[in-house]
Amino acid sequence: MWSWHRQVKDSVSQKTIGLMRMQFWKTAIEEIYRDDPPNQPVSTELWRAVRSHSLTKRWLLRIITEREKDMEDRAYRNLQELEKYSENTQSSLLYLLLECLGVKNVHADHAASHIGKAQGIVTCLRATPYHSSRRKVYLPMDICMLHGASQEDFIRGSREQNIRDVVYDIASQAHVHLQHVALEDYLQRVRKADFDVFHKSLQNRNPLLPIQLYLRSWKNTY
C-alpha cells in the first residue's frame, strides 16, 4: 500500500513540475518574440535562432501545448490521436528545421508532415518495452482492442501473435507515411521533366536535403 501511495505521489509531483516547465516555456516564447528573452542560456539561444531565421512562433507553441496535453499520462485513444500528437511535436520540429535551412516549399512541408508522423509512431513503438517495464502502456487503444490485447499483456511482455498484430498495424501506418513522401517526391520530379519517364533526372534519387540531414542527425550517422 505504501509503495502504491508513493508512486501516486511521485506521479502527481512529476506532473506538477512538468506543467510548471511547460508554463515557463510558454511565457518564454512570448517574451522571446517581444525581443525580451528570459536571462537563461537556452532561451537566449532560441531568441537568436528566432531572429536569425524568422522562426514561426506557431510551431514552437504547438510543440509546448501538445507536450502539456501529454502530461495526462494515458494511452492514445486511437491511431489518429497518436498521429495528431506526432504532427504537433515531431512535424512542427521539422518545420522549424526547414526554416533554419531557409527552405520555403509546400512540398517540403508536406514531406515533413508525413515524416514527423512516421517518426512519432516509431518512437511510440520503440519506447513500448521501457514503458511496459514501468507498468505504462501508451499504444492506441482501438488497435489493441481490435486484436484483443490488454495493457496487462504488454506489461508482462507477452510475445503472442495478437501482440505482434498490434505492432504490425501501428508500424504499417508509419510505413504508409514514408511511402507517401517517396511517391510525392517522384511525381513532382516527373512533372518537372514534362512527364518524360526516361528523363535522366528521374534515374537518380533526389531526397529532400533538409529532411535527410535531420534523419541523419537523429540516427547519428553522417
Side-chain angles (χ1 to χ4, degrees), residues 91 94 110-120 177-178 181 211 215:
S91 298
L94 284 172
H110 199 196
S113 175
H114 283 290
I115 290 175
K117 288 174 183 174
Q119 184 178 340
H177 284 296
L178 293 180
V181 173
I211 303 299
L215 290 177

Side-chain angles (χ1 to χ4, degrees), residues 52-56 95 97-110 210:
S52 298
H53 306 290
S54 300
L55 300 182
T56 302
Y95 300 147
L97 177 65
L98 288 171
E99 291 182 341
C100 285
L101 294 171
V103 177
K104 294 186 178 180
N105 181 295
V106 66
H107 300 298
D109 287 345
H110 199 196

